[in-house]
């Protein structure tokens, strides 16, 4: 049967059909002869091997809710967001020097005229008036409640980790 799967090119069978038939034959053969080693072999093939690592990779930092309505940016965030991209393009060394980047962003904020800051602040307040009802409606959804549980678990785990660290710090040393 394995030879029939290998010969489709010689027998006018389209290769797509041969490819669909080939992997199950390989899995059966590997599983029957190699046992545990055979189960690892299919995971290394193409798309199947690429899927598990992203699932296994643990996300770092605070969980983010992608379904939530995006909160508007205030005047400072708008100015520094635009300036950050411009500064990184002009001076690439600022991307690694956080202190210098912070000082450059402060200078960019200080250089904005007060009238412009006031205008952006008014825009922010009007956008917040639109956002608040959207946020209130979103907080009533089941998706938010599920996300809130995930976020709360993350906060609890972080607090537990901090507590364990302080407890270990205060624990007496083991005798030698």
């Amino acid at each position: 049967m394995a030879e029939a799967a290998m010969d489709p090119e010689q027998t006018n069978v389209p290769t797509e059909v041969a490819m669909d038939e080939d992997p199950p034959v390989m899995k059966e053969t590997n599983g029957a002869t190699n046992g545990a080693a055979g189960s690892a072999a299919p995971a290394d093939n193409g798309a199947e091997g690429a899927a598990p690592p992203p699932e296994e990779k643990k996300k770092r930092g605070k969980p983010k809710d992608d379904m939530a309505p995006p909160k508007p940016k205030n005047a400072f965030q708008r100015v520094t967001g635009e300036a950050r991209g411009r500064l990184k393009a002009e001076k690439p060394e600022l991307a690694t020097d956080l202190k210098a980047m912070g000082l450059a962003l402060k200078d960019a904020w200080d250089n904005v005229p007060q009238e412009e800051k006031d205008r952006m602040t008014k825009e922010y307040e009007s956008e917040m008036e639109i956002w608040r009802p959207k946020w209130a409606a979103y907080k009533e959804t089941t998706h938010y409640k599920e996300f809130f549980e995930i976020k709360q678990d993350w906060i609890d785990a972080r607090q537990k980790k901090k507590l364990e660290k302080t407890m270990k710090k205060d624990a007496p040393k083991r005798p030698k």
Side-chain angles (χ1 to χ4, degrees):
M1 177 135 185
E3 292 178 47
M6 296 290 187
D7 292 334
E9 294 173 0
Q10 296 173 356
T11 61
N12 298 337
V13 175
T15 56
E16 294 173 3
V17 174
M19 289 303 208
D20 289 341
E21 293 175 4
D22 197 28
V25 173
M26 289 177 65
K27 288 179 183 175
E28 291 172 8
T29 306
N30 287 342
T33 57
N34 294 340
S39 62
D44 295 336
N45 292 341
E48 292 178 2
E55 293 174 0
E56 293 174 7
K57 187 174 181 180
K58 188 175 179 182
K59 287 188 175 182
R60 296 179 64 199
K62 186 176 180 180
K64 184 177 183 332
D65 191 0
D66 295 327
M67 301 291 287
K71 190 172 183 179
K73 296 189 182 307
N74 63 28
F76 180 77
Q77 291 170 328
R78 290 180 188 188
V79 170
T80 56
E82 294 170 3
R84 182 176 283 112
R86 183 175 35 85
L87 289 169
K88 282 184 181 180
E90 291 173 1
K91 301 176 185 176
E93 65 274 4
L94 290 179
T96 57
D97 188 4
L98 293 178
K99 181 179 178 183
M101 177 62 88
L103 292 173
L105 292 174
K106 178 190 172 294
D107 292 340
W109 174 249
D110 290 340
N111 291 337
V112 175
Q114 187 61 38
E115 297 83 27
E116 184 73 13
K117 291 178 184 178
D118 292 340
R119 183 189 61 79
M120 285 192 276
T121 303
K122 286 180 183 176
E123 284 180 17
Y124 169 72
E125 290 170 359
S126 65
E127 290 173 359
M128 283 298 289
E129 292 299 321
I130 297 168
W131 178 81
R132 283 187 187 106
K134 288 181 181 180
W135 178 251
Y138 176 71
K139 284 176 74 172
E140 301 298 322
T141 63
T142 57
H143 186 272
Y144 174 76
K145 292 174 182 167
E146 292 170 2
F147 170 75
F148 185 78
E149 290 295 322
I150 293 169
K151 181 180 170 186
Q152 200 62 40
D153 291 344
W154 179 82
I155 291 170
D156 292 344
R158 188 175 66 167
Q159 288 176 341
K160 181 181 175 185
K161 190 175 180 181
K162 283 183 179 180
L163 179 65
E164 288 175 354
K165 188 175 181 180
T166 57
M167 295 299 285
K168 286 180 183 178
K169 181 181 172 184
D170 296 338
K173 302 282 185 190
R174 284 197 298 178
K176 292 185 180 180

